[in-house]
Each structure stands twice: as C-alpha cells, then as structure tokens.
Amino acid sequence: MRVVSFSTYRTAKLLHGGQIRLNALHEAMRREGFSVRHVSVHTADEADPRHDEISVRLDSLMQLHLHERKLRPDVDVCTVFDRVPGSYHLIENKLNEFDPDLIWLEQPWLWPMVRRYLSDNGRAHLPVVYGSQNVETELIATLVPEWDADMRARRVQDVRLLEEELSRSAAGIVCVSASDRKHFEAYRKPILVAPNGVSLPPPPGGLEYWSNVYRNHSLALFVGSAHPPNLEGFVSMFGGDLSYLAPDEKIVVIGGVCDLLRATPTLRKQHGLMFPRLDLLDHQDAGGLATFFQISKVILLPIVSGGGTNLKTAEALYSRKPIIATSRAFQGYESYMGFPNVHISDDPREFRALLKRQLSALDRGNDWKEFQSSALDNLLWSRALADVGPWLRKLVAQAGKDTVREPRPGFKVRSDLTSVKSLTVEGVLLKPMLGDGWHTFEAQGTWSKCPIATLRIPNPFGTAPMKVTLDLEVMIARGESNILSIYTASARHITRRCWSNNRFLTVSFAIPGGDATLGNAVELYVQTRKLLQPRFRSGAVDERALGCRIRKIVLEQVLQTSASRSMTRSFETINAIVGRHLRGSGRKKQNA
C-alpha cells in the first residue's frame, strides 16, 4: 500500500515531538510493508534532502508576509500556494507520479491543499486519515498571547471550521489519548487511539565530559520544545526566582524552550537570581540527551496547559528516574501516576518543595513490580503504534478502494525462468542507492544507523522481475545474536537470526517487476533488531550505533525462456546512470 503523509515540518532532523511522532508513524507503516512518501511545507532549512520527501520551504519573504499580517506559518501555511502557484503543481505532479492509496494528514493545516489535490485530479475516492496530536480548536487560543480578543476569536473560529471540515471528510481519525477520542466521537468516524511513545535510548554521548562538568552539582532535567505551553508551565511552577535552590543544585534545560526562556522579560529581569541555577543547553543529539537522563537526579514535567499528550512524559517514565510532574503532564498516561518515584502536584509551592526534596535525596533503586516494568515497555513506539498498520488496511478496505496492492507471498522463480543478465554494484556505486537510515558513506561498505534503513535500487530490467543478492555484515555482540529482516512493499523476503560466528552472510531473493516505485526503483527495507556500539581489542570504541553493513549488491534479470525482447535499452539506461556517477566522482578527484 502506498501512503502519503502531510505536515508542516520535515523529519530529516527530529527536534520536537511532532517530528518524532511522525517519524515513528512512518517506521510503523514501513514495518507493515507500506511504501511511504512525505510532503512537508515548512520554514526549516533544506539540508539533509531525503528521497522520500516532497519538500516546499516557505522562504524569508513568505515568512515576512505572514509575520506582517499576524499570520502563522502552520495555521496559514496554505496561503503559500496562492502566492507561489508552482509549489502546488510541484506537489501535485509528484503525488500523481507516486499514485497513493491513502493520504495521512498529520494535523489539519494542509487540508485545503489536500482537498484541492483530490478534486483537481479525480481522486475523491482516496481515503484521508486525520492524524491528530491535539484538539487544535482548544489549543490555538493559548498559543499567541499578543493576539487581541477580536483576533483570538477570529483565529479560533478559523481553526474550528478547518478541523471540523477535515474531521467530517476523513475516512478515519487517529488521536493520542482517550480524552481526545471522546471529542472526535461526535463525527462518527472510525477512531484509533495511538499514544505517544519512546525510542530505545542510544548509548550516552559525552558522558565523561558532562559528568565532570556537573560533578559537584545535583541536577534536575527539563526537556521541552519551543511550544508555548512548555514556557508557561516553567514560569508557573518555578516562578521568576530560583534562589530557593542551593548553590550546588541546578535545573538543566534542553530543547527549543531554551530560546523562549531567554526571551522572557520576567526571567531576564531576575537574571542574577535565575541563571546561576539554570543552565540552558539548547538542542542535544540523542546520545547527549541520554547522558543527561543518566546524570540527573529527577526529571521535571511542569506542563499546565495544551492539548494531546506530552511525549516527554513517556521518555521520563521509560528512563525509570524520579519524576515531578503536574497532573496535566500525565494526560494520556494516567495509569502510570501511581508508579514508584512519580510525584504529582499542581500547586507551585508543593512542586518546588518536591524538587528540593528530590535534589537532596540519596539515590535509591526503584522497587518495580513485574507488571509495572512490563507496562513501561509498552511505551516503546513499536508497541504504542502496533495497531496503526492493521487499522489502515481495514480502513482502506472499508473505503472500497479495490486498486490497493496488498502484500503477496514472496516471489518464487519458476522453473521456466532463467537469469540472463546481471549487474554488480559495490564501492562508490552503492552510494546513490543509500536512502534513509545509513551512516556516512564508506567505500568498503556502509553501516545502518537506524533499526530500519532504506535502499533504493533502480531496476535496470524495466518491468521484469529481478533477483537481488546482498553481501552484508550484521553487527553482533560476542556471544549474542541479532535478527535481520529484509522486505519490500509486497513481501518480507528474509528473516534470519545471526550469531557472532556467522555475521558475514550473503542472501538472495527475487522481486517482482511491479515492486518498482517512484523513479522505477525498488524500495528495499533492511531491518536489524539491535543497534550496537562496537568495541575493539585495542580498547577503542566506535561511538556510532551500528546495525547492518551493505558491502555489495548483485542484480540479475529473470526472463521467461521464450521471451525474445532485447534488454539492451534497459542496460544502456543503467550504464548511463552509473557512468554519470563515475564521471562526477572523477571530476571531484581531479578538482581535489
């Protein structure tokens, strides 16, 4: 099944909860064998281009236009298509080329563009899923404090009409909590609650450095994006004066909320009483964040407003660290409120008293019961979103779309077929085939950095089926095992448990010619159960998390013996692609 998602942000860099959730949804769909494309209309940079993303950036002039008219780059994002019509046609052409079976709209802001696309291209039959992270009508009124009463009322009405129209038009709605589900039940549509989750934390990065920096301090950790409720909660629960903390007690803040805190007049006026006990460390990578979860004594969740659920609550729970939170921070996670070391208070005085108590307390282990540990494991994205794929299949079936490509059994080469052509791809020729989820290219073979990594393999044989042989290595800890799975949109081709004594392996399987997707390429997903950080006999440590290394790919055409059609043209095409890449590499070397 081919799925296109829409949002007002990219997923090349995962900096806030919306990006993290959308990326996890993409991975959940790919695990089900779906082919996924993403459309983003955004204000971010265009670095790290992704082959599976159709990206439209709101340039500085467009952003200035929105700012001058007190418009927002999310709520009012579709105005870009009126000012830059070419952007709409770019998306339209790419979507028609991909030919989706289902559209997933993450948040409602791009619904006017999607509605126009469905109408203009005779695709009204396509089912649309509204992926809701909040009840936006309830949230919008709190987001922009500088709006006057009339402006606020108009914007709330605009958002209400948009969200209501999408909810009525959608084939189904996916929300994050039971309370949000209760709101959307009024539209009488199929609803799935897919809560926010957490990824397995990577190995800590820079642990020795940061442990040394804060060796004489007791730390509390607050992680938040540049989402206004994060700022509101911090100011409400901690006030504008942290003098009640001892000199060796600090609050460390990570994420986009740091910029909001720096710009807050109340905090700037009390600079001398705030910032000696408050460290704003901005964005940290996943390894850096894992380090601060490890060295902090308590995790803070001072959320007092906003809709949906707080993704940081899941991360805090999974860390098994003591937590001080408001009841609002646990919306959607109410079943965890009675767990060990979870402290809930909505009173600022009591909240601060709990903070002081935890910072001065001795470190103690958690007295987890077995059912509580199992419940924490259910927070992993793979479990939180496990129902998304089957639910989408059922939804599309109910929508009556009879052209969806359902997964088929693995393609088997019949006895009357014979391999007549082959192409070996290794070294620098592998580079153009690496999609998402790979470390920096290495000529001797590139390692995956995500549980699911994507290869895009041009089919040099046109629409004919081909046999694919992969020469690869799986990262395995000594005495342990790892599981390798390889699949396409139509079938799971390989699932194999590998041990340390057979980490190098060669696997072969056949792929139907109809599996080719955008650009006549087959999208191949390589999944490893574990990512590991290798250690060498010399004592050196590779700081990267590694899964599987692709060393060589061999492609062989499979034709019926009675076929007489020449494949010269197909091979001329692939040879031209390879030749252009080699010539480009040669020029780079000469210039160097």
Side-chain angles (χ1 to χ4, degrees):
M1 188 160 72
R2 303 171 191 262
V3 180
V4 172
S5 64
F6 288 77
S7 77
T8 54
Y9 39 77
R10 308 184 64 216
T11 57
K13 295 180 181 178
L14 307 181
L15 300 179
H16 59 71
Q19 292 170 314
I20 294 171
R21 176 176 175 82
L22 185 56
N23 184 69
L25 284 164
H26 287 167
E27 290 193 359
M29 294 176 194
R30 289 185 175 116
R31 280 195 295 270
E32 286 290 322
F34 298 175
S35 183
V36 180
R37 292 290 177 273
H38 179 53
V39 176
S40 62
V41 186
H42 59 90
T43 59
D45 60 56
E46 292 284 6
D48 301 320
R50 296 169 57 122
H51 72 271
D52 63 347
E53 183 178 72
I54 304 165
S55 174
V56 172
R57 182 177 183 271
L58 305 184
D59 62 22
S60 57
L61 291 178
M62 185 64 195
Q63 294 180 50
L64 179 62
H65 166 78
L66 295 173
H67 178 73
E68 289 175 342
R69 289 157 180 76
K70 295 184 178 180
L71 303 177
R72 291 175 54 86
D74 50 6
V75 178
D76 305 291
V77 66
C78 282
T79 59
V80 69
F81 301 117
D82 297 326
R83 292 175 60 86
V84 190
S87 296
Y88 168 77
H89 295 300
L90 168 69
I91 295 174
E92 181 182 43
N93 292 337
K94 293 289 187 180
L95 291 180
N96 285 335
E97 187 178 7
F98 182 59
D99 189 23
D101 299 307
L102 179 140
I103 288 177
W104 180 292
L105 202 59
E106 188 74 352
Q107 300 178 308
W109 315 127
L110 287 167
W111 168 239
M113 182 266 158
V114 171
R115 179 182 58 204
R116 176 183 172 185
Y117 168 75
L118 297 176
S119 175
D120 289 354
N121 294 271
R123 294 176 180 266
H125 62 280
L126 278 183
V128 174
V129 171
Y130 175 21
S132 169
Q133 299 177 11
N134 305 281
V135 178
E136 301 293 347
T137 304
E138 298 174 357
L139 180 62
I140 190 65
T142 67
L143 289 185
V144 187
E146 60 266 26
W147 282 345
D148 58 34
D150 289 341
M151 172 67 79
R152 193 179 309 278
R154 288 197 302 271
R155 299 327 310 272
V156 169
Q157 180 66 6
D158 291 342
V159 172
R160 177 181 291 111
L161 292 174
L162 180 67
E163 190 167 36
E164 286 179 353
E165 182 184 345
L166 173 55
S167 298
R168 287 194 301 268
S169 303
I173 300 171
V174 176
C175 57
V176 296
S177 68
S179 60
D180 284 4
R181 177 187 185 120
K182 187 174 181 181
H183 170 85
F184 288 112
E185 283 176 346
Y187 297 99
R188 301 183 181 278
K189 296 295 177 71
I191 298 176
L192 174 69
V193 176
N196 281 324
V198 61
S199 300
L200 283 171
L207 180 59
E208 183 177 353
Y209 170 80
W210 288 113
S211 297
N212 184 57
V213 169
Y214 291 107
R215 64 185 181 279
N216 296 321
H217 289 87
S218 183
L219 299 184
L221 177 63
F222 173 45
V223 183
S225 65
H227 190 44
N230 289 328
L231 172 64
E232 181 186 359
F234 187 94
V235 174
S236 297
M237 302 311 291
F238 298 115
D241 177 357
L242 294 179
S243 60
Y244 52 84
L245 295 181
D248 62 347
E249 296 173 341
K250 275 185 179 288
I251 297 177
V252 170
V253 183
I254 293 176
V257 71
C258 292
D259 292 331
L260 300 182
L261 289 169
R262 289 190 185 98
T264 303
T266 303
L267 272 61
R268 291 168 64 183
K269 288 179 181 178
Q270 300 293 336
H271 186 279
L273 295 175
M274 290 292 295
F275 289 98
R277 296 170 177 83
L278 181 66
D279 282 359
L280 307 181
L281 300 185
D282 299 299
H283 294 289
Q284 299 286 322
D285 62 17
L289 186 57
T291 291
F292 280 96
F293 269 109
Q294 182 166 325
I295 67 177
S296 298
K297 295 191 69 172
V298 60
I299 313 302
L300 305 175
L301 301 170
I303 308 301
V304 297
S305 64
T309 63
N310 183 26
L311 187 147
K312 301 305 177 187
T313 302
E315 294 179 352
L317 283 165
Y318 198 77
S319 74
R320 272 74 168 176
K321 285 282 185 173
I323 297 170
I324 303 173
T326 60
S327 57
R328 174 62 194 80
F330 269 73
Q331 181 169 303
Y333 301 99
E334 291 83 358
S335 61
Y336 296 91
M337 294 175 75
F339 276 38
N341 284 347
V342 173
H343 308 281
I344 307 292
S345 177
D346 294 322
D347 177 71
R349 290 180 179 272
E350 184 181 5
F351 200 96
R352 297 168 198 174
L354 287 168
L355 171 60
K356 287 285 295 180
R357 189 183 310 158
Q358 288 299 317
L359 288 175
S360 60
L362 296 175
D363 291 326
R364 296 178 179 175
N366 291 316
D367 184 19
W368 300 104
K369 296 181 174 60
E370 184 176 351
F371 80 92
Q372 291 171 331
S373 294
S374 298
L376 290 175
D377 287 337
N378 288 334
L379 292 169
L380 292 170
W381 281 117
S382 58
R383 299 191 185 185
L385 304 181
D387 294 334
V388 169
W391 186 82
L392 290 178
R393 293 189 190 283
K394 183 178 179 180
L395 191 73
V396 170
Q398 291 174 341
K401 181 155 174 43
D402 56 4
T403 58
V404 177
R405 297 189 309 152
E406 293 295 338
R408 303 183 294 274
F411 182 86
K412 296 182 179 180
V413 180
R414 302 198 310 269
S415 58
D416 61 337
L417 303 184
T418 179
S419 174
V420 297
K421 297 284 187 179
S422 68
L423 177 71
T424 299
V425 182
E426 57 186 330
V428 72
L429 298 183
L430 286 169
K431 189 174 182 180
M433 297 187 181
L434 300 178
D436 299 326
W438 301 95
H439 284 288
T440 303
F441 171 74
E442 299 173 85
Q444 68 272 25
T446 301
W447 286 97
S448 62
K449 64 179 180 181
C450 298
I452 301 175
T454 306
L455 290 172
R456 283 183 57 78
I457 304 176
N459 187 345
F461 317 116
T463 59
M466 64 177 173
K467 179 183 176 183
V468 178
T469 301
L470 301 179
D471 183 7
L472 45 81
E473 176 184 0
V474 181
M475 181 56 63
I476 306 171
R478 182 176 300 177
E480 298 184 8
S481 66
N482 206 345
I483 295 178
L484 172 73
S485 295
I486 300 174
Y487 50 93
T488 60
S490 69
R492 185 174 294 270
H493 299 286
I494 298 291
T495 297
R496 184 173 300 178
R497 182 179 292 276
C498 307
W499 299 87
S500 54
N501 61 352
N502 68 338
R503 59 190 298 170
F504 297 93
L505 64 157
T506 300
V507 296
S508 298
F509 47 90
I511 297 179
D515 262 13
T517 57
L518 193 62
N520 197 37
V522 174
E523 197 164 76
L524 199 67
Y525 304 110
V526 181
Q527 180 175 8
T528 44
R529 179 70 58 86
K530 302 175 185 176
L531 298 177
L532 300 171
Q533 187 179 22
R535 296 179 179 271
F536 305 100
R537 292 182 179 179
S538 63
V541 178
D542 190 331
E543 293 188 355
R544 301 176 302 171
L546 309 178
C548 175
R549 178 163 67 168
I550 299 295
R551 300 156 62 91
K552 183 172 67 174
I553 301 175
V554 177
L555 308 177
E556 297 176 82
Q557 182 196 1
V558 178
L559 285 179
Q560 294 183 5
T561 54
S562 60
S564 59
R565 184 172 60 181
S566 171
M567 299 304 296
T568 303
R569 184 175 179 182
S570 295
F571 270 86
E572 287 176 348
T573 301
I574 193 67
N575 288 336
I577 295 172
V578 172
R580 284 198 301 271
H581 187 75
L582 288 176
R583 288 194 295 273
S585 301
R587 284 195 295 271
K588 290 179 181 178
K589 291 180 179 179
Q590 291 174 3
N591 293 335

